[in-house]
Amino acid sequence: MERTDFLDEVHLRILRVTEDLRSIQQELNCAAMQAPGDPELMETLCQVPEMESLQVLKSAIDQMRHFLWFYTQVITDESEGAETLRQSIRQNPAEDATFSPRIQAAEKFKCAADAALLQYLSDGKMRKPN
Protein backbone atom coordinates (compact mmCIF):
# COMPACT_ATOMS: atom_id res chain seq x y z
CA MET A 1 0.00 0.00 0.00
CA GLU A 2 1.41 3.37 -0.96
CA ARG A 3 1.90 6.04 1.67
CA THR A 4 -0.79 8.34 0.21
CA ASP A 5 -3.30 5.45 0.11
CA PHE A 6 -2.45 4.68 3.72
CA LEU A 7 -2.93 8.31 4.77
CA ASP A 8 -6.21 8.56 2.85
CA GLU A 9 -7.47 5.43 4.56
CA VAL A 10 -6.46 6.75 7.99
CA HIS A 11 -8.15 10.08 7.27
CA LEU A 12 -11.42 8.36 6.27
CA ARG A 13 -11.24 6.14 9.32
CA ILE A 14 -10.73 9.16 11.57
CA LEU A 15 -13.80 10.81 10.05
CA ARG A 16 -15.89 7.64 10.63
CA VAL A 17 -14.73 7.23 14.22
CA THR A 18 -15.31 10.92 14.95
CA GLU A 19 -18.85 10.70 13.60
CA ASP A 20 -19.48 7.51 15.60
CA LEU A 21 -18.24 9.17 18.79
CA ARG A 22 -20.50 12.17 18.23
CA SER A 23 -23.45 9.87 17.65
CA ILE A 24 -22.70 7.88 20.82
CA GLN A 25 -22.42 11.11 22.79
CA GLN A 26 -25.77 12.33 21.47
CA GLU A 27 -27.50 9.03 22.29
CA LEU A 28 -26.02 8.90 25.78
CA ASN A 29 -27.04 12.51 26.34
CA CYS A 30 -30.63 11.71 25.35
CA ALA A 31 -30.64 8.69 27.68
CA ALA A 32 -29.26 10.80 30.53
CA MET A 33 -31.97 13.40 29.98
CA GLN A 34 -34.75 10.76 29.95
CA ALA A 35 -33.44 8.59 32.81
CA PRO A 36 -34.43 10.79 35.79
CA GLY A 37 -38.10 10.59 34.77
CA ASP A 38 -38.01 6.89 33.87
CA PRO A 39 -37.00 4.58 36.76
CA GLU A 40 -36.90 1.51 34.49
CA LEU A 41 -34.50 3.23 32.07
CA MET A 42 -32.38 4.42 35.01
CA GLU A 43 -32.12 0.87 36.32
CA THR A 44 -31.18 -0.45 32.88
CA LEU A 45 -28.48 2.19 32.41
CA CYS A 46 -26.93 1.35 35.79
CA GLN A 47 -26.60 -2.39 35.16
CA VAL A 48 -23.13 -3.94 35.04
CA PRO A 49 -22.88 -4.65 31.26
CA GLU A 50 -23.78 -1.06 30.38
CA MET A 51 -21.39 0.39 32.95
CA GLU A 52 -18.59 -1.96 31.84
CA SER A 53 -18.99 -0.99 28.20
CA LEU A 54 -18.86 2.70 29.19
CA GLN A 55 -15.65 2.05 31.17
CA VAL A 56 -14.09 0.25 28.19
CA LEU A 57 -15.02 3.16 25.92
CA LYS A 58 -13.70 5.70 28.42
CA SER A 59 -10.44 3.80 28.78
CA ALA A 60 -9.95 3.55 25.01
CA ILE A 61 -10.69 7.25 24.55
CA ASP A 62 -8.31 8.21 27.37
CA GLN A 63 -5.58 6.02 25.87
CA MET A 64 -6.13 7.54 22.42
CA ARG A 65 -6.09 11.05 23.86
CA HIS A 66 -2.71 10.41 25.48
CA PHE A 67 -1.38 8.80 22.32
CA LEU A 68 -2.58 11.68 20.13
CA TRP A 69 -0.98 14.23 22.44
CA PHE A 70 2.33 12.37 22.27
CA TYR A 71 2.01 11.82 18.51
CA THR A 72 1.34 15.48 17.76
CA GLN A 73 4.24 16.53 19.98
CA VAL A 74 6.64 14.25 18.14
CA ILE A 75 5.34 14.87 14.63
CA THR A 76 4.50 18.58 14.58
CA ASP A 77 6.86 20.27 17.02
CA GLU A 78 10.09 21.40 15.39
CA SER A 79 11.62 22.80 18.55
CA GLU A 80 14.86 21.58 20.06
CA GLY A 81 12.87 19.89 22.81
CA ALA A 82 10.90 17.85 20.30
CA GLU A 83 14.09 16.75 18.57
CA THR A 84 15.50 15.73 21.95
CA LEU A 85 12.31 13.74 22.58
CA ARG A 86 12.57 12.00 19.20
CA GLN A 87 16.22 11.14 19.88
CA SER A 88 15.46 9.85 23.36
CA ILE A 89 12.82 7.57 21.87
CA ARG A 90 15.43 6.11 19.53
CA GLN A 91 17.92 5.46 22.34
CA ASN A 92 17.85 2.91 25.12
CA PRO A 93 19.25 3.73 28.56
CA ALA A 94 22.87 2.75 29.12
CA GLU A 95 23.28 -0.89 30.06
CA ASP A 96 25.59 -0.10 32.97
CA ALA A 97 23.42 2.63 34.49
CA THR A 98 22.27 1.80 38.00
CA PHE A 99 18.70 2.72 38.82
CA SER A 100 16.29 1.72 41.51
CA PRO A 101 13.99 -1.20 40.59
CA ARG A 102 11.05 1.22 40.33
CA ILE A 103 12.91 3.45 37.85
CA GLN A 104 14.10 0.42 35.89
CA ALA A 105 10.52 -0.85 35.59
CA ALA A 106 9.28 2.58 34.51
CA GLU A 107 12.05 2.80 31.91
CA LYS A 108 11.13 -0.63 30.52
CA PHE A 109 7.51 0.44 30.09
CA LYS A 110 8.55 3.79 28.59
CA CYS A 111 10.90 2.13 26.13
CA ALA A 112 8.26 -0.44 25.19
CA ALA A 113 5.66 2.28 24.57
CA ASP A 114 8.14 4.36 22.59
CA ALA A 115 9.18 1.34 20.55
CA ALA A 116 5.55 0.49 19.84
CA LEU A 117 4.88 4.04 18.65
CA LEU A 118 7.92 4.07 16.40
CA GLN A 119 7.06 0.63 15.01
CA TYR A 120 3.53 1.81 14.31
CA LEU A 121 4.73 4.97 12.59
CA SER A 122 7.45 3.23 10.57
CA ASP A 123 5.37 0.25 9.46
CA GLY A 124 2.62 2.34 7.94
CA LYS A 125 0.14 -0.37 8.87
CA MET A 126 -3.27 -0.01 10.46
CA ARG A 127 -2.55 -1.36 13.93
CA LYS A 128 -3.41 -0.34 17.42
CA PRO A 129 -0.45 1.37 19.12
CA ASN A 130 -0.85 -0.77 22.24
Side-chain angles (χ1 to χ4, degrees):
M1 180 183 299
E2 288 186 27
R3 192 169 300 259
T4 56
D5 292 339
F6 166 75
L7 293 176
D8 288 344
E9 189 174 324
V10 169
H11 180 70
L12 289 174
R13 201 166 179 196
I14 288 170
L15 292 174
R16 282 194 309 264
V17 168
T18 302
E19 186 58 35
D20 285 346
L21 288 173
R22 287 184 178 138
S23 177
I24 290 169
Q25 180 181 357
Q26 185 176 19
E27 290 173 20
L28 290 174
N29 187 42
C30 288
M33 301 276 281
Q34 293 174 355
D38 186 348
E40 191 175 299
L41 177 60
M42 181 68 92
E43 184 179 329
T44 301
L45 292 175
C46 293
Q47 290 179 354
V48 174
E50 283 72 21
M51 295 308 291
E52 284 179 353
S53 77
L54 288 175
Q55 287 300 323
V56 168
L57 177 62
K58 181 185 179 301
S59 176
I61 290 172
D62 288 345
Q63 182 179 8
M64 180 57 87
R65 183 178 56 82
H66 287 284
F67 171 78
L68 289 174
W69 179 87
F70 178 77
Y71 180 84
T72 56
Q73 292 298 310
V74 171
I75 299 302
T76 62
D77 194 0
E78 296 302 324
S79 69
E80 184 178 318
E83 184 56 35
T84 303
L85 178 61
R86 284 189 285 270
Q87 286 181 4
S88 71
I89 290 170
R90 292 182 198 113
Q91 298 173 352
N92 287 329
E95 295 288 329
D96 59 352
T98 57
F99 297 112
S100 73
R102 179 178 276 176
I103 292 174
Q104 287 177 342
E107 282 298 317
K108 285 181 185 178
F109 285 117
K110 179 184 175 293
C111 291
D114 295 344
L117 173 64
L118 289 175
Q119 185 68 39
Y120 174 79
L121 294 174
S122 66
D123 281 353
K125 295 180 182 174
M126 300 300 275
R127 295 189 325 204
K128 293 170 79 176
N130 296 335

